[in-house]
PDB file of all heavy atoms in Angstrom:
ATOM      1  N   ASP A1583     -22.161  10.481  -6.411  1.00 96.00           N
ATOM      2  CA  ASP A1583     -22.131  10.012  -5.030  1.00 96.00           C
ATOM      3  C   ASP A1583     -22.471   8.517  -5.071  1.00 96.00           C
ATOM      4  O   ASP A1583     -22.648   7.947  -6.151  1.00 96.00           O
ATOM      5  CB  ASP A1583     -23.087  10.816  -4.150  1.00 96.00           C
ATOM      6  CG  ASP A1583     -24.539  10.741  -4.594  1.00 96.00           C
ATOM      7  OD1 ASP A1583     -24.888   9.907  -5.461  1.00 96.00           O
ATOM      8  OD2 ASP A1583     -25.346  11.513  -4.070  1.00 96.00           O
ATOM      9  N   THR A1584     -22.569   7.906  -3.919  1.00 97.00           N
ATOM     10  CA  THR A1584     -22.807   6.456  -3.888  1.00 97.00           C
ATOM     11  C   THR A1584     -24.130   6.097  -4.558  1.00 97.00           C
ATOM     12  O   THR A1584     -24.219   5.098  -5.278  1.00 97.00           O
ATOM     13  CB  THR A1584     -22.753   5.931  -2.442  1.00 97.00           C
ATOM     14  OG1 THR A1584     -21.462   6.249  -1.902  1.00 97.00           O
ATOM     15  CG2 THR A1584     -22.958   4.432  -2.381  1.00 97.00           C
ATOM     16  N   ALA A1585     -25.164   6.904  -4.348  1.00 97.00           N
ATOM     17  CA  ALA A1585     -26.463   6.629  -4.970  1.00 97.00           C
ATOM     18  C   ALA A1585     -26.371   6.699  -6.495  1.00 97.00           C
ATOM     19  O   ALA A1585     -26.956   5.864  -7.201  1.00 97.00           O
ATOM     20  CB  ALA A1585     -27.516   7.604  -4.442  1.00 97.00           C
ATOM     21  N   TRP A1586     -25.641   7.684  -7.019  1.00 97.00           N
ATOM     22  CA  TRP A1586     -25.472   7.809  -8.473  1.00 97.00           C
ATOM     23  C   TRP A1586     -24.756   6.582  -9.025  1.00 97.00           C
ATOM     24  O   TRP A1586     -25.171   6.012 -10.042  1.00 97.00           O
ATOM     25  CB  TRP A1586     -24.686   9.081  -8.804  1.00 97.00           C
ATOM     26  CG  TRP A1586     -24.549   9.348 -10.277  1.00 97.00           C
ATOM     27  CD1 TRP A1586     -25.353  10.136 -11.036  1.00 97.00           C
ATOM     28  CD2 TRP A1586     -23.551   8.820 -11.165  1.00 97.00           C
ATOM     29  NE1 TRP A1586     -24.908  10.133 -12.344  1.00 97.00           N
ATOM     30  CE2 TRP A1586     -23.801   9.326 -12.453  1.00 97.00           C
ATOM     31  CE3 TRP A1586     -22.461   7.968 -10.993  1.00 97.00           C
ATOM     32  CZ2 TRP A1586     -23.025   9.012 -13.556  1.00 97.00           C
ATOM     33  CZ3 TRP A1586     -21.676   7.642 -12.100  1.00 97.00           C
ATOM     34  CH2 TRP A1586     -21.958   8.160 -13.367  1.00 97.00           C
ATOM     35  N   VAL A1587     -23.679   6.174  -8.360  1.00 97.00           N
ATOM     36  CA  VAL A1587     -22.913   5.009  -8.826  1.00 97.00           C
ATOM     37  C   VAL A1587     -23.783   3.754  -8.767  1.00 97.00           C
ATOM     38  O   VAL A1587     -23.783   2.944  -9.703  1.00 97.00           O
ATOM     39  CB  VAL A1587     -21.616   4.837  -8.010  1.00 97.00           C
ATOM     40  CG1 VAL A1587     -20.860   3.585  -8.450  1.00 97.00           C
ATOM     41  CG2 VAL A1587     -20.719   6.069  -8.148  1.00 97.00           C
ATOM     42  N   ALA A1588     -24.542   3.596  -7.698  1.00 98.00           N
ATOM     43  CA  ALA A1588     -25.431   2.434  -7.577  1.00 98.00           C
ATOM     44  C   ALA A1588     -26.444   2.418  -8.715  1.00 98.00           C
ATOM     45  O   ALA A1588     -26.689   1.368  -9.332  1.00 98.00           O
ATOM     46  CB  ALA A1588     -26.129   2.454  -6.221  1.00 98.00           C
ATOM     47  N   SER A1589     -27.018   3.570  -9.024  1.00 97.00           N
ATOM     48  CA  SER A1589     -27.974   3.662 -10.114  1.00 97.00           C
ATOM     49  C   SER A1589     -27.319   3.329 -11.450  1.00 97.00           C
ATOM     50  O   SER A1589     -27.874   2.604 -12.274  1.00 97.00           O
ATOM     51  CB  SER A1589     -28.579   5.062 -10.155  1.00 97.00           C
ATOM     52  OG  SER A1589     -29.439   5.203 -11.253  1.00 97.00           O
ATOM     53  N   PHE A1590     -26.117   3.843 -11.667  1.00 96.00           N
ATOM     54  CA  PHE A1590     -25.386   3.592 -12.908  1.00 96.00           C
ATOM     55  C   PHE A1590     -25.186   2.095 -13.130  1.00 96.00           C
ATOM     56  O   PHE A1590     -25.352   1.588 -14.236  1.00 96.00           O
ATOM     57  CB  PHE A1590     -24.034   4.308 -12.869  1.00 96.00           C
ATOM     58  CG  PHE A1590     -23.198   4.098 -14.099  1.00 96.00           C
ATOM     59  CD1 PHE A1590     -23.368   4.909 -15.209  1.00 96.00           C
ATOM     60  CD2 PHE A1590     -22.244   3.093 -14.155  1.00 96.00           C
ATOM     61  CE1 PHE A1590     -22.597   4.721 -16.356  1.00 96.00           C
ATOM     62  CE2 PHE A1590     -21.470   2.894 -15.293  1.00 96.00           C
ATOM     63  CZ  PHE A1590     -21.656   3.714 -16.393  1.00 96.00           C
ATOM     64  N   PRO A1595     -26.784   0.572  -3.029  1.00 98.00           N
ATOM     65  CA  PRO A1595     -25.635   1.313  -2.493  1.00 98.00           C
ATOM     66  C   PRO A1595     -24.689   0.455  -1.653  1.00 98.00           C
ATOM     67  O   PRO A1595     -23.472   0.641  -1.703  1.00 98.00           O
ATOM     68  CB  PRO A1595     -26.289   2.421  -1.655  1.00 98.00           C
ATOM     69  CG  PRO A1595     -27.600   2.647  -2.323  1.00 98.00           C
ATOM     70  CD  PRO A1595     -28.047   1.274  -2.765  1.00 98.00           C
TER      71      PRO A1595
END
Side-chain angles (χ1 to χ4, degrees):
D1583 60 11
T1584 301
W1586 184 94
V1587 177
S1589 176
F1590 179 86

